[in-house]
Amino acid sequence: MFKPFELECISCGEKYKTGNFYNCIKCGGILNVKYNQSKYKLKNNQLIVDNSIQGLWSYKEYLPINNENNICSLAEGHTPLIKSKISEISGNLFFKDETRNPTGSFKDRPTTVSISKAIENKCKGVVAASSGNAGIATAAYAAVAKLPAIIFVPENLPNEKLLQASIYGAKIIKVRGDYSSSFELAKKVALEYNYANLTSTYYNPYGLEGDKTIAFEMYNQLGHLVPDFIIIPIGAGPLLTGIYKGYLDLKEMNLIEKLPKMIGVQAKGCSPIVKAFKENNKNVEPWNHVNTIASGISDPLKGYDQDGTYTLNIIKGSGGYAISVSDEEIIDSVFSLGNGQGIFVEPTSATVFCGYKQLRKSELIKKDDLTVSIITGIGFKDTKPLYKFIGKIPIVEASLMEFDSLNILENE
Ligand SMILES: *Cc1c(COP(=O)(O)O)cnc(C)c1O
Ligand SMILES: [Zn+2]
């Protein structure tokens, strides 16, 4: 395992030694983990995977930890990549199923890295502002690390997400307002009390390093082919940027030649990045009235709109697109993924299938284009928007006559 070269500000280029840093002290810009490239190691000209380690730390050669004893892991990552079997639309589509992670979402990846780094930096406890899944992951990993955890969440968080974080033993605090208010308070509390801030926006620079392992896994799962397109639901966008960073690393190591086009999907009721993309604005502006069932990406970016601008530039630089989808389409896609693929997703994660259909229709993605949709979170986490769509469930006596009267075998 090697040390990160340093943290580098993406705006002014200022460099910092690794430590409890968040935004650039000089200009407030986003910090990025930069490795000393000459130290990138390969074995037989391939990525080094330590198969004695469960979870994404098998890629430890490429992760920013100095001492292995500081790793806090729940065997996250190494999720399956599954070919689409949905008959409604055929194409060269795969799903990277992140619902299989220990807490049910990809957020376990950024969290395992940022908490391990927090342990290495000897923090007293951890905080996170979260629209749900990052707080849940923080709570679970903090439980294993035996660190106190405080999670700040928006008022309207789905009950299942509150429940799950509580089971892991974190202290949960609702903050009036949308996600941006939680973000603000987490920042203040962490700085005041010397807790590490694991908020999974770009604020904590280590999270992205966990996200990038998705690219490494897909590189091996696709027999070294690079997808033409990768479709991802985006809040502020670190997942998208982290995966892209992984592909940039692979290119830097001369393992691949081309890069994937990145597609960010937002919900119509909260789509600041899509708006800037469509209007060709240089900067992303905060969103005012959040109104969507996609709770995991309801991120209005108030107070850190630079995060959105960073993501916008990554998308554009990759030659990709930012698109938005409606709540009705999202519900439809929850069912498509359920009864077409056997995957139960939370509404936020269904956006990627809506996005695929939209881009196939407009022919920006062709049938043969190798496309991966990242399935970010499991359906049990956010069920309320779905109940009114499942129809009435009949109840009968244990009699064949009553069963027959239901006429559910109408095609026989
Ligand atoms: C956090 C989250 C996202 C968005 O990820 P960002 O890195 O914040 O853009 C997408 N889907 C789910 C289920 C999430 O929890
Ligand atoms: Zn700076």
Side-chain angles (χ1 to χ4, degrees):
M1 249 176 264
F2 56 76
K3 286 177 190 150
F5 189 49
E6 54 224 330
L7 297 172
E8 187 183 80
C9 173
I10 64 152
S11 305
C12 77
E14 184 74 10
K15 294 183 169 67
Y16 300 90
K17 286 266 166 284
T18 170
N20 265 327
F21 286 109
Y22 301 102
N23 288 347
C24 175
I25 296 167
K26 227 171 104 189
C27 80
I30 294 165
L31 296 180
N32 185 21
V33 177
K34 270 253 165 158
Y35 296 91
N36 184 341
Q37 298 295 347
S38 68
K39 282 195 178 172
Y40 265 142
K41 287 189 229 135
L42 296 173
K43 196 169 152 192
N44 305 325
N45 215 22
Q46 283 310 321
L47 283 178
I48 300 173
V49 189
D50 183 342
N51 288 318
S52 71
I53 300 178
Q54 296 188 73
L56 63 77
W57 290 96
S58 60
Y59 292 103
K60 66 183 184 186
E61 287 295 336
Y62 311 97
L63 294 169
I65 293 289
N66 302 326
N67 182 343
E68 229 167 291
N69 296 328
N70 294 322
I71 291 176
C72 174
S73 171
L74 293 171
E76 59 293 313
H78 290 283
T79 56
L81 184 73
I82 309 164
K83 176 108 200 183
S84 170
K85 297 170 191 74
I86 303 178
S87 46
E88 160 187 354
I89 184 160
S90 65
N92 197 8
L93 174 65
F94 287 81
F95 300 109
K96 179 72 170 155
D97 187 1
E98 292 292 303
T99 69
R100 314 279 185 111
N101 277 301
T103 77
S105 87
F106 81 91
K107 290 287 196 320
D108 295 337
R109 293 182 189 262
T111 304
T112 186
V113 178
S114 59
I115 201 163
S116 300
K117 203 64 202 171
I119 292 166
E120 194 152 274
N121 290 331
K122 306 208 162 25
C123 70
K124 289 195 300 192
V126 297
V127 303
S130 171
S131 64
N133 290 329
I136 289 167
T138 300
Y141 284 78
V144 173
K146 309 262 179 284
L147 283 171
I150 307 171
I151 315 297
F152 297 100
V153 299
E155 275 177 279
N156 61 354
L157 200 74
N159 273 332
E160 298 92 334
K161 292 189 178 176
L162 285 178
L163 176 70
Q164 193 183 355
S166 306
I167 297 284
Y168 296 132
K171 295 212 163 47
I172 300 160
I173 297 168
K174 287 187 176 181
V175 186
R176 295 227 161 75
D178 55 35
Y179 174 73
S180 297
S181 311
S182 307
F183 180 83
E184 206 43 55
L185 185 57
K187 210 158 119 176
K188 287 182 192 155
V189 170
L191 291 177
E192 183 73 25
Y193 298 101
N194 193 24
Y195 273 34
N197 192 335
L198 306 194
T199 298
S200 77
T201 58
Y202 294 108
Y203 187 64
N204 187 311
Y206 301 107
L208 232 64
E209 301 304 296
D211 291 327
K212 105 185 160 184
T213 57
I214 291 181
F216 292 178
E217 289 173 21
M218 294 205 306
Y219 168 76
N220 285 325
Q221 287 170 317
L222 287 169
H224 307 170
L225 285 178
V226 178
D228 297 300
F229 297 94
I230 302 178
I231 311 180
I232 303 167
I234 53 171
L239 172 60
L240 182 144
T241 300
I243 295 174
Y244 196 63
K245 188 176 186 187
Y247 278 101
L248 287 171
D249 281 358
L250 293 167
K251 191 150 183 281
E252 190 106 35
M253 293 184 257
N254 288 320
L255 293 173
I256 58 172
E257 277 169 16
K258 69 167 205 172
L259 291 165
K261 295 186 170 70
M262 307 303 285
I263 294 165
V265 191
Q266 299 198 294
K268 285 212 155 71
C270 184
S271 48
I273 297 173
V274 176
K275 182 167 184 285
F277 181 85
K278 282 194 174 146
E279 296 175 0
N280 211 9
N281 299 332
K282 262 190 91 168
N283 294 310
V284 172
E285 277 168 22
W287 191 263
N288 273 325
H289 299 288
V290 173
N291 181 18
T292 171
I293 55 168
S295 67
I297 46 173
S298 294
D299 192 335
L301 306 172
K302 285 180 206 146
Y304 51 100
D305 40 296
Q306 64 171 358
D307 283 28
T309 304
Y310 187 35
T311 303
L312 176 70
N313 288 333
I314 299 284
I315 292 172
K316 281 189 182 164
S318 78
Y321 312 99
I323 58 175
S324 60
V325 300
S326 71
D327 281 4
E328 293 78 59
E329 291 173 277
I330 290 174
I331 295 284
D332 257 17
S333 288
V334 168
F335 282 91
S336 299
L337 284 160
N339 63 37
Q341 189 71 24
I343 303 181
F344 180 30
V345 300
E346 65 168 281
T348 297
S349 307
T351 56
V352 293
F353 189 63
C354 315
Y356 181 71
K357 285 202 291 185
Q358 200 183 106
L359 291 168
R360 278 292 302 280
K361 210 165 158 192
S362 58
E363 297 195 5
L364 291 171
I365 295 183
K366 309 269 187 312
K367 192 173 176 196
D368 291 335
D369 289 335
L370 176 56
T371 305
V372 178
S373 287
I374 311 291
I375 301 293
T376 50
I378 202 161
F380 300 115
K381 285 165 171 289
D382 189 3
T383 58
K384 197 167 155 221
L386 303 175
Y387 282 103
K388 61 174 181 282
F389 298 98
I390 58 175
K392 199 163 183 299
I393 296 180
I395 177 164
V396 296
E397 297 299 329
S399 102
L400 198 53
M401 212 175 74
E402 281 207 26
F403 172 76
D404 285 341
S405 72
L406 296 174
N407 270 325
I408 59 169
L409 302 180
E410 65 224 2
N411 299 328
E412 298 293 299

